[in-house]
Amino acid sequence: MSTTTFSPSAAFQETAVASPALFDAARSDYEGFWADQARRLLTWEKDFTEVLDWSDAPVARWFADGTLNACVNAVDRHVDSGHGERIALHFEPESGEAESYTYAQLKDLVCQVANALVELGVQTGDRVAIYLPMGVPAVVSMLACARIGAPHSVVFGGFSADALRSRIEDAGARLVITSDGQYRGGKTLPLKSAVDAALADADIEDVRVLVHRRTGMDVAFQEGRDIWWHDIVPAQSTSHDAVVVEAEHPLFILYTSGTTGKPKGVVHTTGGYLTQAAFTHLNVFDVHPESDVYWCTADVGWITGHTYVTYGPLVNGVTQVLYEGTPATPHKGRWWEIVEKYGVTILYTAPTAIRTCMKWGPQFPREYDLTSLRVLGTVGEPINPEAWLWYYREIGGERCPIVDTWWQTETGAIMISPLPGLTTLKPGSAQQPLPGVDVRIVDTLGDPIEDETPGLLVVATPWPSMLRGIWGDPERFAETYWSRFDGLYFAGDGARFDEDGDIWLLGRVDDVMNVSGHRLSTAEIESALVAHDAVAEAAVVGASDDTTGQAVVAFVILREAYVEQADEEGEGGDLVAALREHVRSEIGPIAKPRDILIVPELPKTRSGKIMRRLLRDVAEHREVGDVTTLADSSVMDLISKGLGS
Ligand code: PRX
């Protein structure tokens, strides 16, 4: 295979943060390596004596007898070490006045919010749901929770009231922090009303609601339950004694889609998570905190926003940009305007965004001065070489290394990535595991593959930021990740080595889809569809899509009473539109199917399992593959005929 590669420039090599010595250190003493990172990158209240306890596998304990506070590490210690005047956050709203916060100002605000949480009765160990748009209150709320040792559960502002309710219930949240509404894509959208709807039906008592005013839109207020942020936060003291917790104290829960209909509450703890967040942020993005301006475009509702907006960058004391809006609001050059305005040096985004910009054309970025950029990153899905090269040329001016970072909500931090200044880059490949990360590729029996045969990605040794479990469901944790291969963490991704030993990710091997870098479960969308009156049965697949990577395509069997209506309306009729809307309201806009195809039957094996592989063939307009295991092989003819193909 002839792939163009890009060697690091000599200038870059001289100043690179990462060094080959890191790999040597990790190879010669794995635990000692991570202990060094933990001590070097974090401030501990009490040092630890034990590094890793794997005796209770698959639950790892890292640095367990050490104590610390995550917020102190992200904020206070920069003020204490004389960097209080450094900008922590440049907030760029979708429209209107930008705001900047120094580390000292951030500390004052976080302390006020922490004091407000305490006044609202939140105690160490209580869970707090955060349902806020991208912005300073979201980051500050997370840090305030961390400051009092209350695990946060951030729910992406694009999720529906139903999705929010199930997350509030599952975590048993005591408080929900939200805003009246949010600005998105030039529109003003409500948020608080979804909290009201979620709590109206929630099987939970004594939840308080703290409401930040973002848009000024009218909201309903429930006496005794709801309180305005501006009525409680500014009145608080700007000092607060952070609650020192053990390294294994849960820092947050973050829900992600799995192979079943019910999202999993992935639990991350404090010491190990912060160690790997800070280590990877520093080395993968080649961070020089005194001079860099870093911008990660992810929303804090996703793991990328947790690790590479809130925790990693702030623990490393960097200046970063937070942008509220979409890339095209009010014009298609908006992102590049922001890069120019703040002199962004490090940009981390998703392949789907790059493909969208590529489609819009290079004239938009070319209008702006992007020469401040030094390092570019991508995450969330494989980046196709064509998009990689466009990013490299049009955005990075052929001088910026691109780090294609592979990781997951569960891994907590980056696991596989090139390192700027060290790695000769290969477009489309995430390349090498980071130092201290033991990734392998195995066959279906769990035996290691060393040649170029495709296999399954596993992690063979515990890593500091690994998930510690699924909230309230230890069995599901063991079953999902640890039951397939003895002693190996099964990531759910296919992968292969190339002839140089570089890793190429091949996509999910389970029923999880990846749409615009967002993880969606086929089962979750199927159960939303069958909850609609018109639907008897549904099967959902992820079909490849030029912009979003994969797109949701649903095959639906209607109940008798609706068949006639659908026949009359044909494709694009009201019923199909109503079903797409239904998924949107049950889960959120990101889950809305691109296509809904009404079919008379679904292809099933003799044991009744839907053969998604065949549906994917139909959705991707391919010739349908091997049908010999179908219970009724004429079904595919029926489907194809029904769809007029
Ligand atoms: O399939 C992999 C894909 O995204 C999945 C994890 O999704 P999530 O937990 O939502 O986290 C996304 C942000 C870390 C993985 O199982 N994925 C993530 N990064 C890459 C990737 N696939 C290929 N290349 C990547 N760089």
Side-chain angles (χ1 to χ4, degrees), residues 239 361 369 375 417 483 615:
S239 29
D369 178 3
V375 178
S417 173
S483 66
L615 293 176

Side-chain angles (χ1 to χ4, degrees), residues 254-257 266 298 302-305 307-308 348 351 378-383 403-414 416-417 428-430 457 489 491-494 504-510 512-514 517-520:
L254 184 60
Y255 287 83
T256 187
S257 297
V266 168
W302 310 108
I303 191 67
T304 307
T307 310
Y308 298 107
Y348 190 29
T378 73
V379 60
E381 54 179 318
I383 175 161
V403 289
D404 172 359
T405 62
W406 179 89
W407 59 296
Q408 307 179 296
T409 305
E410 292 87 340
T411 68
I414 297 169
I416 307 176
S417 173
S429 166
L457 195 77
Y489 169 86
D493 280 37
W504 293 73
L505 275 307
L506 304 173
R508 301 287 305 193
V509 295
D510 53 13
V512 169
M513 294 171 290
N514 192 325
H518 296 145
R519 218 161 122 171
L520 293 170

